[in-house]
Amino acid sequence: MSRQSNRTTDSKKMNSELFTLTYGALVTQLCKDYENDEEVNKQLDKMGYNIGVRLIEDFLARSSIGRCQDFRETADVIAKVAFKMYLGITPSVTNWSPAGDEFSLILESNPLVDFVELPDNHSTLIYSNLLCGVLRGALEMVQMAVDVKFAQDTLRGDSVTEIRMKFIKRIEENLPAGDE
Amino acid sequence: MVIFSVYVVNKAGGLIYQYDNYVPRSEVEKTFSYPLDLVLKHHDEKVIVSFGQRDGIKVGHAVLSINGADVMGKSTADGKDILEYLKDSSNYPVSIRFGRARLSSNEKLMLASMFHSLFAIGSQLSPEVGSSGIEMLETDVFKLHCFQTLTGIKFIVLADPRQSGIDALLRKIYEIYSDFALKNPFYSLEMPIRCELFDQNLKSALEVAEKAGNFGAGS
């Protein structure tokens, strides 16, 4: 993982294994603390949300991408720019619903789950639930309410990891001036 | 070519950060003897000159200090009312410093909220659909540049009218905000920014912008 090169701070390459280990330590500690998979999933989502609301500004500051006009554009930006920038992977966007308000991100590889195996007593744990929270938090800050879930997970025996994103509504309350 | 100040306004219109890089001080200190030939009056918790402009002391200048001690609003440093003090001939000769009064932080908060509302008017007045808010406000002494992010935060820079490269500077300030304010886990969103690293990096970005006169991309 490296930082964008258009910054004045030196671009650092960090070992992605340290990242995987850090995330793993986080999840196992949460499991010990809460002892309940559902609760851990909720906490991961909350933590992801707090990361997302801050990450979006970093993303907008570095990528200078303008406001997306529709959900398809949003999907493209998330898959091709955001995932690439932060996790170094480019998921594919598929399974659009007929109304165009739901789609799936198919991740071939997930840096969070390198070397991870879920034991049987944690079969309902959504290990990478942090990502759902991040996406939800980030989109909420640009006035889009979305619902993000894992539809398939390689850790639970599926062939690919699939994140399902559903557009709920535009958040009209705190619209910045000029965006009607 | 200078950059006067930077303001950061949150989504709700509250001022969360303010930095004065350069405040042109035009202060005059003179010794006066009784009777004082300037007419002073109370205005907004300050004592200002209402008539009697001379020697660099202009109408509207506030009393900043008396005999070297800074005044506090309408009273001197020891708590006496300034106008009463200056009517008493036994206090003369007295040395008074006049100058343009600085904006207090409350006043800055009010002005930022007002600008937040005016910003919206910019887009409402527009004949075309989908206009942005106010991006630039120009007077003969300064230019105010405003950049609103997609998340509703506004970065406002007041600079010399001839200063160029402010757009790039605003983007740079956005990057600095996303780094040193947002990545600090102890900073809560929408709250006043009290991060040392943010201050330091902002100052150096302003220095670079002033020197270059043109903050190029990729530096």
Side-chain angles (χ1 to χ4, degrees):
Chain A
M1 294 179 300
S2 62
R3 300 281 186 94
Q4 290 294 92
S5 54
N6 63 345
R7 297 182 57 198
T8 49
T9 56
D10 34 286
S11 59
K12 295 181 275 236
K13 272 201 180 303
M14 190 169 86
N15 189 328
S16 69
E17 275 152 34
L18 180 60
F19 176 61
T20 310
L21 280 172
T22 308
Y23 188 69
L26 179 78
V27 177
T28 46
Q29 190 61 44
L30 281 176
C31 287
K32 281 204 199 93
D33 288 342
Y34 289 99
E35 292 179 17
N36 174 339
D37 284 352
E38 268 318 299
E39 201 41 54
V40 175
N41 290 340
K42 255 202 278 176
Q43 290 300 321
L44 281 174
D45 187 74
K46 249 203 254 174
M47 289 168 61
Y49 178 82
N50 287 326
I51 293 177
V53 300
R54 291 165 185 256
L55 202 66
I56 181 70
E57 306 267 14
D58 181 80
F59 175 70
L60 290 172
R62 294 199 199 303
S63 63
S64 330
I65 291 205
R67 192 172 285 283
C68 291
Q69 298 307 323
D70 62 13
F71 203 46
R72 277 178 191 268
E73 219 186 307
T74 309
D76 279 337
V77 169
I78 292 176
K80 300 196 180 101
V81 192
F83 265 88
K84 188 102 207 317
M85 207 192 268
Y86 291 112
L87 290 174
I89 56 178
T90 312
S92 43
V93 177
T94 56
N95 284 357
W96 276 99
S97 69
D101 63 349
E102 255 193 85
F103 67 92
S104 292
L105 286 165
I106 310 280
L107 285 78
E108 301 293 318
S109 68
N110 182 351
L112 294 173
V113 305
D114 287 341
F115 317 119
V116 176
E117 275 175 32
L118 270 189
D120 296 326
N121 57 335
H122 287 297
S123 52
T124 51
L125 178 69
I126 308 173
Y127 190 83
S128 313
N129 210 25
L130 195 92
L131 289 180
C132 296
V134 172
L135 287 166
R136 187 171 62 88
L139 286 173
E140 192 175 303
M141 292 294 275
V142 283
Q143 294 88 40
M144 264 189 263
V146 287
D147 186 53
V148 190
K149 296 205 246 303
F150 270 90
Q152 293 189 73
D153 194 349
T154 46
L155 288 184
R156 294 200 282 173
D158 302 309
S159 48
V160 288
T161 305
E162 182 183 342
I163 300 179
R164 189 98 187 126
M165 290 189 60
K166 183 178 163 65
F167 177 77
I168 299 179
K169 62 177 180 137
R170 270 197 94 190
I171 304 172
E172 301 287 332
E173 284 88 56
N174 288 332
L175 223 46
D179 292 328
E180 81 245 37
Chain B
M1 295 236 277
V2 284
I3 296 172
F4 296 119
S5 44
V6 177
Y7 293 74
V8 182
V9 178
N10 68 10
K11 274 198 279 233
L15 186 67
I16 60 175
Y17 184 77
Q18 196 279 320
Y19 174 62
D20 285 324
N21 189 38
Y22 173 78
V23 183
R25 301 315 275 130
S26 51
E27 289 168 20
V28 182
E29 183 149 17
K30 291 193 69 55
T31 315
F32 297 92
S33 49
Y34 190 79
L36 193 61
D37 52 357
L38 300 164
V39 179
L40 302 173
K41 67 165 184 182
H42 281 164
H43 177 75
D44 261 0
E45 290 305 311
K46 295 191 281 273
V47 175
I48 64 170
V49 176
S50 80
F51 196 73
Q53 196 156 294
R54 66 159 180 139
D55 290 339
I57 301 172
K58 300 208 167 74
V59 170
H61 275 193
V63 174
L64 296 176
S65 78
I66 293 187
N67 289 335
D70 282 340
V71 306
M72 293 189 299
K74 294 195 260 216
S75 349
T76 64
D78 1 333
K80 298 199 268 286
D81 183 71
I82 294 178
L83 293 180
E84 292 301 312
Y85 185 84
L86 292 174
K87 283 205 183 80
D88 188 353
S89 58
S90 59
N91 291 321
Y92 285 80
V94 72
S95 158
I96 312 179
R97 185 151 54 95
F98 290 92
R100 186 157 183 277
R102 276 189 147 180
L103 286 172
S104 74
S105 39
N106 266 347
E107 286 171 345
K108 285 181 185 158
L109 267 161
M110 263 180 13
L111 290 174
S113 319
M114 239 188 282
F115 182 77
H116 171 81
S117 319
L118 282 178
F119 181 89
I121 291 179
S123 70
Q124 287 165 18
L125 276 176
S126 162
E128 297 256 349
V129 154
S131 147
S132 75
I134 294 179
E135 283 180 350
M136 183 148 70
L137 198 103
E138 188 170 351
T139 72
D140 52 353
V141 175
F142 73 92
K143 254 194 199 164
L144 178 151
H145 301 252
C146 179
F147 167 58
Q148 177 171 257
T149 67
L150 291 186
T151 50
I153 307 247
K154 285 188 257 307
F155 296 94
I156 299 167
V157 168
L158 270 68
D160 189 290
R162 294 154 297 163
Q163 180 85 26
S164 61
I166 299 287
D167 276 339
L169 174 65
L170 284 168
R171 301 270 178 297
K172 179 77 188 158
I173 297 179
Y174 187 24
E175 268 183 41
I176 295 177
Y177 168 74
S178 82
D179 279 343
F180 298 102
L182 293 185
K183 297 208 177 77
N184 179 349
F186 300 107
Y187 167 67
S188 340
L189 253 50
E190 309 295 306
M191 289 288 120
I193 301 177
R194 302 222 185 290
C195 311
E196 276 248 13
L197 287 174
F198 180 75
D199 291 337
Q200 283 169 17
N201 281 275
L202 183 69
K203 282 185 192 126
S204 37
L206 291 179
E207 268 166 39
V208 175
E210 279 179 342
K211 275 199 202 94
N214 190 5
F215 204 84
S219 51

